[in-house]
């Protein structure tokens, strides 16, 4: 008997790709029951592209600077993904604002990770903003993507303490360890059919997810 085909992931990156690497590792270890069909970058020099190629994954570079509009670039992404089996699209440090040209066809199967405790600090420089505000904790959120930047409904959120003497780099280093844990976990939940986007709201096992996402604890599974 032939095994049923594994779910296909597309991962979109712009930089070093440490979250992408976490997905590669999670697939290899069996924690994530999926196959990475393709890694796409808008940045031809993204280090993550080389990491993906070394892991034997198809890569595609689509340089946004060659397109006259965001919509034309997004259509090129859609056209590229049409060549691969894709059940879920993972934005992993993808530094382009997407338009409905891309978001609409993948709505409900498009995830992003944002390094803050959303709804706090959408946008850039999240760690510095948390430090400047005197926050006691920071963190990271996996969320469904909607046309509002970093505004789609949160799914899973991990917190870390802000410690005396922290600077942006120290805090980022603490947060990214959590990113690498919760992002593949959220993807696994999605592929198990546990997560859904309905009428702009997120559900887990049929229950509405709180506005800040499900709090991650080590025992969360
Ligand atoms: C991560 O901090 C992620 O939360 C943010 O961009 C960064 C990407 O890092 N969206 P990497 O390329 O996955 O290492």
């Amino acid at each position: 008997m032939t095994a049923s085909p594994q779910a296909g992931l597309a991962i979109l990156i712009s930089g070093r790709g440490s979250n992408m690497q976490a997905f590669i590792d999670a697939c290899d270890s069996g924690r994530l029951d999926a196959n990475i069909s393709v890694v796409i970058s808008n940045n031809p020099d993204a280090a993550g592209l080389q990491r993906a190629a070394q892991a034997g994954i198809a890569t595609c570079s689509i340089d946004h600077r060659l397109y006259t509009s965001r919509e034309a670039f997004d259509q090129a992404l859609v056209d590229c993904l049409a060549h691969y089996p894709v059940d879920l699209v993972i934005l992993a440090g993808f530094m382009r604002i997407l338009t409905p040209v891309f978001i609409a066809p993948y709505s409900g199967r498009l995830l992003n990770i944002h390094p803050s405790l959303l709804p706090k600090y959408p946008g850039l420089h999240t760690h510095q903003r948390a430090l400047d505000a005197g926050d006691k904790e920071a963190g990271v959120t996996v969320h469904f993507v909607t046309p509002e930047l970093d505004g789609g409904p949160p799914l899973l959120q991990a917190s870390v303490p802000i410690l005396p003497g922290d600077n942006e780099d120290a805090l980022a280093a603490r947060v990214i360890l959590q990113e690498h844990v919760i992002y593949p976990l959220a993807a696994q939940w999605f592929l198990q059919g546990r997560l859904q986007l309905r009428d702009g709201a997120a559900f887990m096992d049929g229950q509405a997810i709180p506005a800040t996402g499900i709090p991650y604890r080590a025992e969360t599974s």
Side-chain angles (χ1 to χ4, degrees):
M1 206 170 85
T2 325
S4 57
Q6 276 187 313
L9 302 181
I11 304 183
L12 274 57
I13 64 170
S14 297
R16 64 188 168 178
S18 75
N19 276 288
M20 176 204 73
Q21 185 68 52
F23 274 85
I24 294 172
D25 296 344
C27 290
D28 285 350
S29 73
R31 274 181 295 126
L32 178 55
D33 189 15
N35 180 56
I36 302 172
S37 303
V38 64
V39 170
I40 300 177
S41 179
N42 65 302
N43 169 15
D45 300 322
L49 279 178
Q50 287 179 16
R51 288 171 98 159
Q54 278 161 8
I57 299 167
T59 62
C60 189
S61 164
I62 304 177
D63 187 341
H64 64 276
R65 294 167 297 191
L66 303 179
Y67 295 84
T68 52
S69 67
R70 289 192 186 276
E71 287 78 9
F73 170 71
D74 284 6
Q75 187 59 52
L77 291 177
V78 171
D79 293 346
C80 176
L81 287 188
H83 294 99
Y84 298 93
V86 176
D87 298 286
L88 177 63
V89 178
I90 298 294
L91 304 182
F94 185 67
M95 301 303 286
R96 297 297 300 165
I97 294 173
L98 292 164
T99 72
V101 170
F102 186 83
I103 294 173
Y106 289 100
S107 179
R109 49 193 183 116
L110 176 55
L111 303 185
N112 184 42
I113 190 159
H114 183 73
S116 79
L117 296 173
L118 287 173
K120 275 189 161 182
Y121 313 131
L124 298 174
H125 310 299
T126 54
H127 302 312
Q128 191 60 52
R129 288 156 71 194
L131 290 167
D132 292 346
D135 292 353
K136 295 278 179 284
E137 58 176 14
V140 58
T141 308
V142 178
H143 64 95
F144 275 124
V145 174
T146 63
E148 188 190 344
L149 180 67
D150 301 326
L155 299 171
L156 184 56
Q157 189 169 76
S159 304
V160 301
I162 294 180
L163 301 178
D166 265 352
N167 60 21
E168 194 176 7
D169 289 346
L171 184 53
R174 195 173 305 124
V175 170
I176 201 132
L177 296 176
Q178 298 300 310
E179 300 192 25
H180 297 165
V181 173
I182 71 167
Y183 208 2
L185 177 59
Q188 176 70 356
W189 286 350
F190 179 87
L191 295 175
Q192 289 171 330
R194 301 181 69 185
L195 294 175
Q196 284 173 330
L197 178 68
R198 289 203 303 262
D199 297 329
F203 294 82
M204 167 81 167
D205 297 336
Q207 304 287 319
I209 294 177
T212 52
I214 296 164
Y216 174 76
R217 294 182 196 90
E219 68 274 16
T220 308
S221 62

